[in-house]
Amino acid sequence: MKFLETLTSDDLVANLKVSDVNITDDGAKVISRIMENNKSLTRLSLSYNKICDEGGNSIGMALQSKSCCITMLDLYRNFIKDDGIKEIVAALEVNTTLTYLNLGYNNIHAVGAKALADALKKNSSLNTLILERNHIGDDGVTSIANALRDNSGMRTLNLSYNNIHTEGAKQVALMLETNQALTSLDFGFNHIEDGGIEAISNVLKKNDTLKVLNIEYNGIHQEGANFLGAMLQLNHTITTINLLKNHITDEGLEFICSAIKVNDTLVSFNLAYNNIHDEGAKKLAAALLANRSISFLDLSKAFGQQ
């Protein structure tokens, strides 16, 4: 940490990455002083360390300082719980500089998500929030979704690996009805299933903002694929869909193929690790011949895996 202390007066380092070096709460206090005193520092990555609640709050207090110029903060894979984001939450209510916040792979539950949500109601400068691999569940995502209904700043939201089910997905769908800013939504490795994708697909028939949708590993079957296909026939904004590791069969793929023939905006489509057989492959090939927009297609182990 003595080396890091020299950076408090360094006016050259703008991008600092100190990942996987066992920084603890004491080290986080040193980092917080750097954040407050080094006006050149704008990007800070502290991923894969051992920062806990006390360190998280020290960093949050630094973000509240008017002299802090941080625009990107990465705290991925530390040990920060709900109590450890209190000062980060307080910072979001007053900070207008921070645009990117990665709190992925910590130990944040619904209580912490609600606190974040309350802050987001007052914050319009944060455009990227990564909460993957936490434990916010349906209650937490409901709080986040409610906060973002009229938020004009958020562009990218990552909620993957958060034990979110159909009800949570329905709340996000309600958010997408009024939110006109979000362009990327990551729902990967949750449990939204066909009911959740139905709600989201119905909204995306009219939504003209969202471009990237990741719904990999969500227990989506034929019915969900049908909803997606119906959406893609009407939506002309989505450019990327990730359906990796679901349960898409030939029957579900049929509706998607019909949409691919007329959709002119989808560029990237991931169907890897599904359950497609010969009939589905033929229909997909025919759809791709009619399509002029898809330039990336992932079919890795997509044929007869489940």
Side-chain angles (χ1 to χ4, degrees), residues 64-301:
Q64 296 173 48
S65 171
K66 293 182 179 180
S67 61
C68 180
C69 298
I70 296 292
T71 62
M72 192 234 40
L73 177 61
D74 182 359
L75 289 167
Y76 185 82
R77 200 164 188 177
N78 279 280
F79 298 90
I80 303 171
K81 300 178 182 179
D82 294 340
D83 285 342
I85 63 169
K86 287 182 178 179
E87 294 299 335
I88 293 176
V89 166
L92 289 177
E93 295 183 357
V94 297
N95 183 295
T96 58
T97 305
L98 190 69
T99 59
Y100 175 106
L101 177 60
N102 188 343
L103 290 171
Y105 218 148
N106 278 280
N107 197 12
I108 299 169
H109 291 73
V111 172
K114 185 180 185 306
L116 280 169
D118 290 341
L120 290 175
K121 292 177 182 178
K122 304 174 183 179
N123 181 296
S124 60
S125 55
L126 193 71
N127 62 45
T128 300
L129 177 60
I130 299 175
L131 289 173
E132 69 169 282
R133 292 182 182 271
N134 279 288
H135 313 280
I136 70 172
D138 288 341
D139 289 342
V141 77
T142 296
S143 298
I144 296 290
N146 288 339
L148 293 181
R149 287 189 181 186
D150 298 311
N151 182 289
S152 60
M154 194 67 65
R155 299 291 187 271
T156 299
L157 180 63
N158 187 333
L159 299 168
S160 60
Y161 291 93
N162 263 291
N163 199 30
I164 298 168
H165 296 78
T166 300
E167 184 55 40
K170 289 180 178 179
Q171 297 303 315
V172 171
L174 289 174
M175 176 269 289
L176 290 173
E177 286 184 354
T178 57
N179 181 287
Q180 297 180 344
L182 198 67
T183 60
S184 178
L185 175 62
D186 191 338
F187 246 130
F189 289 83
N190 282 294
H191 314 280
I192 69 172
E193 301 182 329
D194 292 342
I197 202 58
E198 176 184 14
I200 291 174
S201 294
N202 286 338
V203 172
L204 291 181
K205 290 177 181 178
K206 300 178 181 179
N207 180 289
D208 60 357
T209 308
L210 195 73
K211 295 182 178 181
V212 178
L213 178 64
N214 182 11
I215 42 177
E216 63 182 317
Y217 215 135
N218 262 288
I220 298 169
H221 293 76
Q222 176 184 342
E223 189 176 10
N226 294 350
F227 294 131
L228 276 172
M231 178 272 289
L232 284 172
Q233 293 203 34
L234 298 175
N235 181 290
H236 295 284
T237 306
I238 294 278
T239 63
T240 302
I241 292 182
N242 185 354
L243 275 168
L244 179 143
K245 284 196 173 184
N246 279 287
H247 307 282
I248 310 299
T249 61
D250 291 354
E251 291 77 10
L253 188 61
E254 182 175 358
F255 283 81
I256 292 175
C257 287
S258 297
I260 287 175
K261 290 179 180 179
V262 298
N263 184 286
D264 58 358
T265 54
L266 191 64
V267 175
S268 176
F269 194 31
N270 191 340
L271 278 168
Y273 290 87
N274 276 282
N275 193 18
I276 303 167
H277 292 84
D278 289 347
E279 190 62 31
K282 291 177 183 177
K283 291 177 180 178
L284 181 59
L288 291 171
L289 286 174
N291 180 279
R292 290 292 180 269
S293 62
I294 294 177
S295 61
F296 176 84
L297 178 65
D298 192 342
L299 295 173
S300 302
K301 294 190 176 182

